């Protein structure tokens, strides 16, 4: 819409104001990444056209790459420790719409030992991996 400033019934200034849809995050993938940052996070939602930045809690603001109105991606900034943060999006780099979608920062996994150190192509041997910061998984 056009906004006009009037003085004595005469237009002395005008500007344009546009109504846009609030961006909404429905899902992110992956939902976790390392504390060193650098994870490419794909966001699916609605009203994403024109989004310029993603916010990862209070850790940082990074550029958004919009694919279409329902998809964008951004790269996670680094964190000093493992923690969960809420994702936010902005059209103007100032006002952020925060979602209930959480990105989880995790400590990098480390492998300390693999036993045995060899195996035959035919398989049939259990492999034991000892380490730290593994994430529980059913896979």
């Amino acid at each position: 819409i056009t906004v006009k400033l009037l003085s004595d019934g005469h237009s002395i200034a005008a500007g344009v104001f546009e109504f846009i849809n609030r961006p909404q995050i429905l899902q992110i993938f992956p939902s976790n990444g390392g504390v060193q940052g650098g994870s490419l996070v794909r966001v699916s939602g609605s009203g994403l056209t024109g989004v310029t930045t993603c916010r990862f809690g209070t850790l940082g603001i990074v550029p958004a790459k919009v694919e279409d109105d329902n998809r964008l991606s951004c790269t996670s900034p680094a964190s000093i420790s493992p923690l969960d943060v809420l994702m936010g999006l902005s059209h103007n780099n100032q006002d952020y719409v925060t979602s209930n979608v959480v990105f989880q920062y995790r400590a990098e996994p480390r492998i300390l030992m693999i036993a045995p150190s060899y195996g035959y192509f035919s398989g049939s041997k259990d492999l034991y991996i000892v380490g730290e910061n593994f994430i529980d998984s059913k896979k």
Side-chain angles (χ1 to χ4, degrees):
I1 64 172
T2 301
V3 179
K4 293 182 180 180
L5 177 60
L6 302 176
S7 177
D8 293 328
H10 301 290
S11 177
I12 58 172
V16 177
F17 181 85
E18 179 182 7
F19 289 98
I20 58 175
N21 292 323
R22 281 176 72 93
Q24 181 180 13
I25 300 173
L26 299 175
Q27 185 177 14
I28 61 172
F29 182 82
S31 60
N32 61 66
V35 293
Q36 80 283 359
S39 296
L40 180 63
V41 180
R42 291 179 173 82
V43 177
S44 62
S46 61
L48 304 182
T49 299
V51 168
T52 55
T53 53
C54 299
R55 183 172 65 187
F56 288 76
T58 59
L59 296 178
I61 296 168
V62 296
K65 181 179 178 189
V66 177
E67 296 176 33
D68 57 41
D69 197 51
N70 300 306
R71 294 179 301 188
L72 64 77
S73 60
C74 47
T75 302
S76 65
S79 172
I80 60 170
S81 63
L83 69 127
D84 296 350
V85 296
L86 294 175
M87 293 284 301
L89 302 174
S90 177
H91 284 95
N92 64 5
N93 304 335
Q94 295 176 353
D95 302 310
Y96 283 86
V97 175
T98 302
S99 72
N100 291 327
V101 175
V102 173
F103 182 80
Q104 301 173 325
Y105 282 92
R106 298 292 175 239
E108 283 297 299
R110 286 184 27 187
I111 295 176
L112 303 174
M113 183 185 79
I114 299 175
S117 61
Y118 68 92
Y120 299 111
F121 287 113
S122 60
S124 299
K125 193 149 190 116
D126 289 336
L127 182 64
Y128 297 95
I129 301 173
V130 177
E132 55 191 21
N133 302 323
F134 294 153
I135 296 174
D136 289 339
S137 175
K138 295 181 184 200
K139 294 181 181 179

